Amino acid sequence: MLYLLYGPDTFRSRQKLNDIIARAEALHRDKLSLLKIDLAEEDIDVLERELETPSLFAPLRFVVLNNLTDKEKIKKFEVLAEKLNLSKSKESIVVLYEENPEDKNILIKLVSEKGKVQRFDLLSKTGTVSWVTNFFLNRKIKIDADAILKIAEGIGPDLWRINNECEKLAAWAVNPKTKISTEDVLKLVVFENESNIFAVVDAVLTKNSSKAIYDLETLVTKGEDVTGIFYLLVKQFQNLSQLFALAQKGSLPANAAKILNIHPYAATKLASSLRRWPEKDLKSIFDKLAAYDLAIKTGAQDARLSLTMLASGL
């Protein structure tokens, strides 16, 4: 089989790629060989060797190709696809994964004649509202229609950011009776790319106590409501805990980002913090987060004090 997935909405194209991989894994289990080739660094010969070398242990080859932009490489790929009859092959699945291919017309024509092509444009406002609505419906979390509209209008069609903010809201709304309001969204969601907000999170993850407190106070001085930072931290530590569990099996799998449903760059950045967080420290931080979460929701203390205490104890 041969696929081309392309377009500016890399969140949905990545989901589609993960779906194709998951279906192949479910059907073939341990008989699947998965390989990713970046053609900005490798030549088509690498793909040819992979597809033509027989294997008794993994008879089905699944290859993801990035950066098939060079015209000479496209021509070589066309010859190889014809030679191996990729359009009808039951031994090989090749996915061309491109954000914005330079010679997209050539690729579209090539793949449409031999396989399947799917373009992922950025969602419209209506499409973004629908995506956010389904996010919370699938998790059985109640949210006001105006709150959904605020998320869609405030962030736009960047589903990587929207997904991150929705995950943060979901971590906050753990009580099944909670209904997320517009006021909650305004308090918790980051609508602008405020570097200091992410600086606080990064400082906590790297156990830089003094920097975390300094950046936190900078935000407070600007009048920023820091409640959203607390729940962003909750989500980040949930992801870190999952990465820790995966790493316990020996090494982080190549599809760690897929498992966590986060951007590959975010997964790589988070993984770099793992060595700073042994199991006992992770358990301790989760105990503190749970206690501070309760304190914030009951009004016993605010998010600023909770974050300051959390950072002070790093």
Side-chain angles (χ1 to χ4, degrees):
M1 286 296 295
L2 181 61
Y3 297 86
L4 169 61
L5 308 179
Y6 78 102
D9 190 345
T10 57
F11 184 90
R12 289 191 300 131
S13 63
R14 175 73 63 172
Q15 280 192 325
K16 180 64 177 181
L17 174 61
N18 290 341
D19 287 344
I20 296 172
I21 293 173
R23 287 201 302 271
E25 287 176 336
L27 286 172
H28 302 282
R29 298 184 182 179
D30 56 347
K31 295 181 180 179
L32 178 70
S33 169
L34 178 60
L35 178 67
K36 296 182 180 180
I37 301 175
D38 186 348
L39 291 174
E41 301 175 358
E42 304 284 357
D43 196 72
I44 288 293
D45 295 344
V46 177
L47 173 65
E48 186 171 9
R49 286 196 299 271
E50 171 66 18
L51 297 181
E52 290 192 324
T53 304
S55 173
L56 295 174
F57 302 103
L60 179 66
R61 311 301 177 84
F62 194 121
V63 182
V64 180
L65 289 181
N66 292 109
N67 295 313
L68 183 56
T69 56
D70 182 86
K71 289 184 178 180
E72 184 178 342
K73 289 182 180 179
I74 292 174
K75 186 63 179 176
K76 285 183 178 180
F77 177 78
E78 184 177 11
V79 172
L80 181 62
E82 189 68 34
K83 175 184 175 183
L84 299 179
N85 196 17
L86 288 180
S87 61
K88 298 180 180 179
S89 175
K90 294 183 179 180
E91 292 80 33
S92 302
I93 299 174
V94 177
V95 179
L96 307 181
Y97 183 76
E98 306 287 345
E99 181 176 352
N100 188 28
E102 294 175 11
D103 295 306
K104 59 185 176 184
N105 291 333
I106 298 175
L107 282 179
I108 291 169
K109 184 175 184 298
L110 169 62
V111 179
S112 60
E113 292 174 352
K114 303 178 184 298
K116 298 179 180 179
V117 176
Q118 190 166 356
R119 175 183 171 89
F120 295 86
D121 288 311
L122 295 174
L123 292 176
S124 64
K125 178 180 172 181
T126 302
T128 305
V129 167
S130 177
W131 191 95
V132 175
T133 301
N134 288 329
F135 177 95
F136 290 105
L137 276 176
N138 292 337
R139 288 160 178 76
K140 298 181 180 179
I141 296 174
K142 300 173 185 176
I143 182 170
D144 288 336
D146 287 345
I148 292 174
L149 188 61
K150 183 62 183 175
I151 294 170
E153 290 180 339
I155 298 178
D158 183 350
L159 289 186
W160 288 108
R161 279 192 62 205
I162 284 184
N163 183 71
N164 186 56
E165 296 300 329
C166 287
E167 289 284 5
K168 185 168 62 177
L169 285 166
W172 175 79
V174 290
N175 188 326
K177 294 182 180 180
T178 299
K179 186 173 186 179
I180 300 170
S181 66
T182 304
E183 183 180 345
D184 297 325
V185 168
L186 291 172
K187 183 186 296 185
L188 297 170
V189 171
V190 179
F191 287 110
E192 296 179 3
N193 191 15
E194 295 280 359
S195 59
N196 280 341
I197 289 175
F198 297 102
V200 173
V201 174
D202 289 343
V204 172
L205 288 171
T206 56
K207 293 188 174 182
N208 190 335
S209 178
S210 58
K211 188 176 188 309
I213 294 172
Y214 176 84
D215 288 334
L216 177 66
E217 290 306 310
T218 300
L219 288 170
V220 172
T221 302
K222 291 180 179 178
E224 186 77 39
D225 187 329
V226 296
T227 308
I229 299 176
F230 180 84
Y231 290 100
L232 179 57
L233 266 175
V234 170
K235 183 59 187 175
Q236 289 293 75
F237 274 108
Q238 288 173 343
N239 287 336
L240 191 66
S241 179
Q242 290 183 62
L243 279 178
F244 181 87
L246 292 171
Q248 291 297 96
K249 298 177 181 179
S251 62
L252 284 175
N255 63 340
K258 169 192 166 185
I259 295 171
L260 271 63
N261 194 30
I262 60 176
H263 195 282
Y265 172 76
T268 301
K269 188 175 181 181
L270 200 57
S272 67
S273 301
L274 270 179
R275 61 185 178 81
R276 303 175 187 271
W277 292 94
E279 188 173 9
K280 64 179 182 63
D281 287 7
L282 275 176
K283 184 180 184 306
S284 175
I285 203 75
F286 272 111
D287 289 342
K288 291 177 181 178
L289 288 170
Y292 294 147
D293 176 49
L294 180 62
I296 292 170
K297 288 177 177 174
T298 58
Q301 65 186 42
D302 61 16
R304 176 187 180 183
L305 178 58
S306 297
L307 284 165
T308 302
M309 292 173 66
L310 187 73
S312 299
L314 294 175

